[in-house]
Amino acid sequence: MSTELELTVQVAAPPDTIFRAMTDWERQSEWVFGTRVSVVEGDGRSVGSEIDAVTFGVSDRMRITRWDPPHAVEVVHLGKIVRGTATFAVRGSRFVWTERLDVPFFYPLVKPLFVLMLRRSLQRFARFAEGYR
């Protein structure tokens, strides 16, 4: 089974600042609930680089497949649990997070909580990016 989610938040910051904030992988824990991110291969700022996001103990290793500053970053999820692709995009003053995931059979049960967590994270991101240095 697969699903697609697209969430958007307005950010009172210039597009290049939004892009730099959304790709500051090591600081994602400041706005994504329960997540620690590290660059595990490459520089984290180019195609082929890999990052690992550990959310509530679950590893989500991703490889950057598109790096287009200040517009978008695309990744492929490489994990055993999280599979699929994601796009992090800047559209004007909006941050758009799109996930295309292969999900387990129980996903419909956890989807409301998952979406709530992502929405709250995006609200936190807006504040993070607006003050980003």
Side-chain angles (χ1 to χ4, degrees):
M1 175 167 52
S2 63
T3 191
E4 181 172 324
L5 294 170
E6 183 171 288
L7 299 149
T8 303
V9 67
Q10 283 290 129
V11 182
D16 62 319
T17 300
I18 298 169
F19 186 86
R20 283 185 291 112
M22 79 180 190
T23 58
D24 190 342
W25 307 119
E26 284 82 7
R27 291 186 64 193
Q28 260 192 18
S29 64
E30 294 178 42
W31 57 275
V32 179
F33 285 106
T35 299
R36 294 262 179 233
V37 180
S38 57
V39 175
V40 293
E41 195 167 308
D43 60 6
R45 305 220 174 297
S46 58
V47 171
S49 291
E50 293 186 10
I51 57 176
D52 188 38
V54 179
T55 304
F56 301 116
V58 177
S59 174
D60 177 14
R61 190 159 176 156
M62 295 167 265
R63 180 178 301 123
I64 297 172
T65 58
R66 178 177 170 222
W67 182 264
D68 182 20
H71 307 290
V73 175
E74 293 178 3
V75 300
V76 60
H77 295 280
L78 304 170
K80 293 177 182 173
I81 296 173
V82 182
R83 309 280 303 166
T85 61
T87 303
F88 308 101
V90 179
R91 296 187 189 140
S93 61
R94 292 179 299 131
F95 169 46
V96 181
W97 184 349
T98 306
E99 293 279 357
R100 292 167 204 86
L101 299 172
D102 297 327
V103 294
F105 70 93
F106 59 83
Y107 176 73
L109 296 174
V110 298
K111 181 180 177 182
L113 182 60
F114 179 62
V115 171
L116 177 64
M117 185 180 85
L118 290 178
R119 286 182 202 269
R120 292 271 168 89
S121 293
L122 285 179
Q123 292 167 352
R124 289 174 60 171
F125 174 78
R127 291 188 299 276
F128 172 78
E130 288 163 2
Y132 186 75
R133 303 273 178 266

